Amino acid sequence: MKVVVLTGAGISAESGLTTFRDSGGLWEGVDPMQVATPEAYAADPGLVQRFYDDRRAALSRVQPNAAHHALVRLEHALGDDLLVVTQNVDDLHERAGSQRVHHIHGRLRSAWCTTCDARHEWDGPLADGPPCPRCGSATLRPDIVWFGEIPYGMDRVEQALWECELFVSVGTSGLVYPAAAFVHWARGATLELNLEPSAGATDFAESRQGPATRLVPAWVEELLA
Ligand code: BV8
């Protein structure tokens, strides 16, 4: 059975990473939605770099939770028939052991050189303008898809949604497109697992409310029974 699981900030909440909208929506008094844009980066690159430097540094202080580990169990059972599509820029799916993860909004631990277009695995800060390992230019930006930019690999996602028998959305408010539209692109059955009904809850055949660390393991056990 082909399954696509979309995850959002809610799956990482119980690991201690604040979500976009539940954290009182502010980072150092700034609305993240105002920082995650190319315009903000052009206007104040230092502010935007520090926003991502802080979040990249926070990764080393958090661990995957039971929801991430349940999706690894599911991947062991389904293999290539499972694709995890995540809006999250953290690395918790990978650190739990998931192999097939597609980051449509990019990754905190990747730096993108706007001079030579190279991408590099990156753990440290970028605000101090380190040289690109390939071309030496001090033009590394976060490899993150900002509002107004094109999400990564949408053709692969569309194909997977069209082919899947089951689409499950975990921990997302359903406010950001095109991810919020995936439920409409999915050919098969649809299920939402979220702390509270998302903006698109009524578009799902079934919507369950509760914390991801309870709902996701229970759903995986049910599917594999
Ligand atoms: C694009 C990287 C064209 C940054 C992010 C007007 C109308 C409609 C659309 C638009 C519009 N104006 C502009 C647009 C398009 C725009 C958009 O959707 N804007 C919205 C705000 C209206 N989208 C874009 O610009 C995208 N690009 O459209 O290009 C295109 C389209 C199709 C094909 C080709 C080209 C680019 C969007 C990407 C922006 N970058 N992330 C960063 O991370 O810093 S999005 C950002 O929001 C995060 O990635 C986050 O993942 C994402 C969505 O948020 P959620 O993950 O849902 O998190 P949130 O906090 O909102 O919700 C958490 C949920 O978890 C809640 O429901 C909560 O109840 C639940 N929860 C909490 N705790 C738990 C839990 N659930 C379970 N257990 C728990 N314990």
Side-chain angles (χ1 to χ4, degrees):
M1 167 193 256
K2 287 188 177 294
V3 179
V4 173
V5 177
L6 170 69
T7 64
I11 199 170
S12 299
E14 291 164 90
S15 292
L17 289 180
T18 53
T19 66
F20 257 66
R21 290 162 187 83
D22 296 350
S23 59
L26 292 184
W27 164 79
E28 293 193 4
V30 175
D31 174 359
M33 310 287 272
Q34 301 306 315
V35 177
T37 68
E39 294 76 17
Y41 185 62
D44 188 347
L47 174 85
V48 176
Q49 291 283 24
R50 283 194 308 278
F51 175 60
Y52 289 99
D53 286 355
D54 285 359
R55 290 170 66 195
R56 191 176 307 111
L59 290 181
S60 59
R61 299 194 291 269
V62 296
Q63 296 297 326
N65 62 51
H68 298 104
H69 290 298
L71 292 181
V72 175
R73 273 200 307 284
L74 186 59
E75 187 180 87
H76 290 162
L78 298 185
D80 290 352
D81 280 347
L82 172 68
L83 179 64
V84 173
V85 177
T86 187
Q87 301 174 91
N88 298 338
V89 293
D90 64 54
D91 61 346
L92 294 177
H93 283 301
E94 289 86 351
R95 284 167 52 200
S98 288
Q99 306 281 319
R100 287 166 50 83
V101 182
H102 180 76
H103 287 265
I104 55 170
H105 293 161
R107 296 184 304 120
L108 283 168
R109 297 184 64 189
S110 174
W112 175 21
C113 178
T114 54
T115 299
C116 73
D117 206 30
R119 282 170 168 80
H120 307 285
E121 289 304 300
W122 203 269
D123 280 324
L126 288 171
D128 49 2
C132 166
R134 186 163 85 178
C135 74
S137 311
T139 53
L140 292 170
R141 63 161 269 188
D143 186 11
I144 297 280
V145 176
W146 287 326
F147 289 99
E149 295 186 323
I150 312 291
Y152 290 152
M154 293 309 295
D155 44 2
R156 176 190 186 193
V157 173
E158 270 185 62
Q159 180 74 22
L161 287 167
W162 177 244
E163 287 174 356
C164 75
E165 282 107 282
L166 176 58
F167 170 65
V168 182
S169 175
V170 180
T172 179
S173 59
L175 294 173
V176 173
Y177 288 82
F182 288 177
V183 63
H184 302 298
W185 304 354
R187 182 175 61 86
T190 56
L191 168 65
E192 175 180 86
L193 306 176
N194 207 53
L195 194 62
E196 75 255 333
S198 75
T202 53
D203 297 326
F204 287 83
E206 186 186 354
S207 172
R208 298 177 190 171
Q209 279 75 51
T213 53
R214 178 164 60 77
L215 263 58
V216 180
W219 165 66
V220 169
E221 297 316 312
E222 180 188 305
L223 191 72
L224 298 183

